[in-house]
Each structure stands twice: as C-alpha cells, then as structure tokens.
Amino acid sequence: MAKRVVIAVGGNAILQPKQDPTFEVQMTNVQKSAEQIAKIEAMDYEIVLTHGNGPQVGNILQQNELAKHTVPALPLDACNGESQGFIGYMLEQSLKNTLRQNQSSANVATLLTEVEVDRDDPAFKDPSKPIGVFYDEDEAKQLQANKGWIMKEDAGRGYRRVVPSPMPAMIHGVDSINHLLEQNIIVIAGGGGGIPVYQDENGLLQGLEAVIDKDRTGRKLAEQVNADIFMILTDVSNVYINYGKPNQKKLEAVCVKETQKYLDDGQFAAGSMGPKIEAAIAFAKTGRTAIICSLDEADLALQGKAGTRISYT
C-alpha cells in the first residue's frame, strides 16, 4: 500500500517577504512548490497538502480596511475562507499542470475546510496572534473603542490587531479527504489553519474571529487521516540547536524525548520554529514520523537523505 503523508507548506512559500504581492508573483512561487510536490507523488505517496496564509489573509484584511466605506468588511473567518479559495486554486491548477506534464494519472482537489475549536479555549481570554496592517497609537485607540478590537504594539513597528489562536479540536470533512485519497487524488485542505468554527448550544456550527496555527492544524489533520508521515516544509534545510552561534548543530534523526528537552531549554523561537517543533513532537508521540525540511529537499527527506526526522524512539 502507498504511504500517506500530510505536507504543511508555509505562507511564505507562496509569497516571500518584500516580494510584490501580485497574483503573478504568487503563482510563480506556487508553481515551484508544485514541482516538488509532484516529485513526492511520483514516489507513490498519498498526499494531503495544507498551507499557510499569513501574508495573503493580511492583504485581504487590508483590502477590507481600505474599501470599508464602499464595500462592507468581511469577518475574519470569511477572509480565511477567501484566502483558502484563491490559494487552493493556484495550488490545484499548478499541480494539475505539473502532473499532466509528468504523465501522471493522479488528480487534485481542493476542500474548503472548517476546523472546530473549543469556545472555552484559554486563547479566547488572551488573544495573542497579530494580524493585518500596522496602525499608529491614535488609530489603534480608535479601533479599540469603535470596533472592540484588541490592539497591541508589535516589535516597535506600530500597533496591530491581535486575535485568539485556539487549538484545533477536530477537522471537518475527513471522510471526504480519505475517499479522495483512495481515488489517487491529491487533496488540498486545512489552508491557513482552517476556518475556525464552534458548536453552539443547539449543536450548530458558527464561525469565530480567530486564527488557528497551520502547523497545529496540519498535525491534527495528519492524525485524523492516519498519515504515516507529517512533513513541515520551511525555508531552512534542517532544525538547528544553538542556531546562529559558533556551536550551531544540525539535527538529523532525533527522538521525542531529546527534541522535547531542546524545546524546554528554549532552543526554538516561539514565533518561528517553536510551533513547528511542538506539532512534530505531538505527531511523533503517536509512534509515527515527523519531518521538518526545506521545500526543495522534500523528496530527499522522505528518503532519509535530508531534513530533520523526529520519531518516538
């Protein structure tokens, strides 16, 4: 049987920092990603692809803000759905074209994905995820007063809105994902961490203005589809300890216990590698393998020739 892998691609693989955020630039980046994913498909893997949306949803929020006097602004959960749609379109089209050029029989489908969270998650009492554009102090105070937004100063660059980042409790649509995988279809799902929803007192789903970490969603997705491997693609070839120091060390094959110790020792920054390591550890604890590697070495990492592999023992 083919092995099953869930691959999490960062939003920066779609739009790099300082790049012009045009559709054409993003499509060019996505096409490069598609070439790497197609290499993995050729290795006889069933693939679920999930992706970040940080730069893209930030731009959508800015469009909302600029056009608010002409077109009513959408809530954050709807903006997340909007970004899932257009990123999924770019990925699906690029993958289909690459697979056709490779004479592969595989197909591709994008699923708009809702991710259920606990309405009582502690994150809702302490919003911490910065989103959208920067404001000066006066603008931030006005938004806080008029819209009820929580505004926080961000790294000396101004004030930004912060929203809750709850843990994913359940991915909706997994039965459909499994069915598509069995039909030799690459599935794009859970984009941007998924659209946050909760069940109200009547058991009905309702949207929430929140952002779910896409690596956490990727890990949950990998568990629910019973993946053999959870792979997080980054802009570095490996995970390092003592990063940027003379005694910097590359990690290749490590166990959960060793990785957890490095995490507890503060080796991985909370805003970058930390969440990836947390998600990888959580998946590896199930007895399966997590891999963190660069996009252009993903196929080699699956062969054990590159990247950082985290296993239970």
Side-chain angles (χ1 to χ4, degrees):
M1 289 180 61
K3 285 191 173 183
R4 184 169 290 185
V5 58
V6 170
I7 302 173
V9 181
N12 288 339
I14 304 162
L15 182 65
Q16 296 288 331
K18 299 183 180 180
Q19 281 188 322
D20 192 9
T22 64
F23 179 81
E24 291 75 18
V25 167
Q26 293 180 80
M27 182 61 98
T28 298
N29 291 337
V30 166
Q31 287 168 348
K32 294 175 183 177
S33 300
E35 292 170 5
Q36 298 302 319
I37 303 302
K39 289 181 181 179
I40 295 172
E41 188 279 328
M43 295 165 61
D44 196 31
Y45 278 91
E46 295 178 345
I47 299 171
V48 181
L49 182 62
T50 189
H51 59 81
N53 70 343
Q56 294 76 23
V57 81
N59 288 337
I60 291 171
L61 289 165
Q62 186 174 10
Q63 289 171 342
N64 271 302
E65 191 64 23
L66 293 171
K68 65 185 177 183
H69 298 299
T70 305
V71 180
L74 296 173
L76 178 56
D77 47 320
C79 293
N80 193 308
E82 187 177 338
S83 70
Q84 272 195 36
F86 91 81
I87 295 172
Y89 160 63
M90 291 191 296
L91 284 166
E92 181 173 330
Q93 185 181 92
S94 297
L95 273 168
K96 282 181 173 177
N97 288 341
T98 302
L99 292 168
R100 178 169 294 180
Q101 290 168 351
N102 293 352
Q103 298 184 327
S104 169
S105 61
N107 209 332
V108 188
T110 304
L111 294 184
L112 198 68
T113 312
E114 294 177 285
V115 177
E116 192 169 330
V117 301
D118 183 351
R119 191 68 180 88
D120 296 322
D121 189 298
F124 289 104
K125 295 180 180 178
D126 183 26
S128 60
K129 178 68 175 178
I131 62 167
V133 298
F134 290 88
Y135 300 92
D136 62 32
E137 187 173 0
D138 289 339
E139 289 173 324
K141 288 179 178 178
Q142 287 181 355
L143 288 166
Q144 195 154 310
N146 297 337
K147 292 193 172 186
W149 289 1
I150 298 174
M151 309 294 292
K152 290 185 180 179
E153 197 273 334
D154 186 356
R157 296 175 292 176
Y159 289 79
R160 296 175 79 190
R161 180 187 177 190
V162 292
V163 298
S165 184
M167 294 292 290
M170 183 177 73
I171 314 292
H172 284 259
V174 168
D175 287 346
S176 297
I177 294 172
N178 286 330
H179 175 72
L180 290 168
L181 290 172
E182 291 164 3
Q183 308 306 311
N184 195 26
I185 296 173
I186 296 173
V187 182
I188 301 165
I195 303 169
V197 297
Y198 73 101
Q199 287 192 35
D200 65 17
E201 60 273 11
N202 297 313
L204 303 178
L205 295 178
Q206 306 289 345
L208 281 167
E209 291 213 297
V211 173
I212 306 172
D213 180 84
K214 64 106 173 126
D215 294 317
R216 289 173 173 169
T217 293
R219 185 267 302 170
K220 191 68 178 177
L221 187 57
E223 290 178 1
Q224 285 190 231
V225 302
N226 198 29
D228 299 285
I229 298 168
F230 173 42
M231 172 176 277
I232 301 174
L233 303 184
T234 72
D235 53 2
V236 294
S237 60
N238 287 75
V239 177
Y240 291 83
I241 56 172
N242 304 316
Y243 187 72
K245 298 178 181 178
N247 60 339
Q248 172 178 296
K249 178 184 175 184
K250 176 170 66 174
L251 301 181
E252 296 179 307
V254 288
C255 68
V256 164
K257 185 177 180 181
E258 181 182 358
T259 311
Q260 184 67 55
K261 183 179 183 304
Y262 292 140
L263 180 64
D264 294 342
D265 289 345
Q267 285 285 351
F268 311 118
S272 55
M273 189 58 73
K276 295 174 174 54
I277 292 292
E278 289 174 357
I281 288 172
F283 184 75
K285 282 182 176 178
T286 67
R288 289 165 284 179
T289 302
I291 298 175
I292 300 175
C293 66
S294 64
L295 172 66
D296 57 0
E297 292 183 330
D299 56 329
L300 295 175
L302 283 170
Q303 300 173 56
K305 299 177 180 178
T308 298
R309 300 173 70 88
I310 301 171
S311 56
Y312 186 71
T313 57

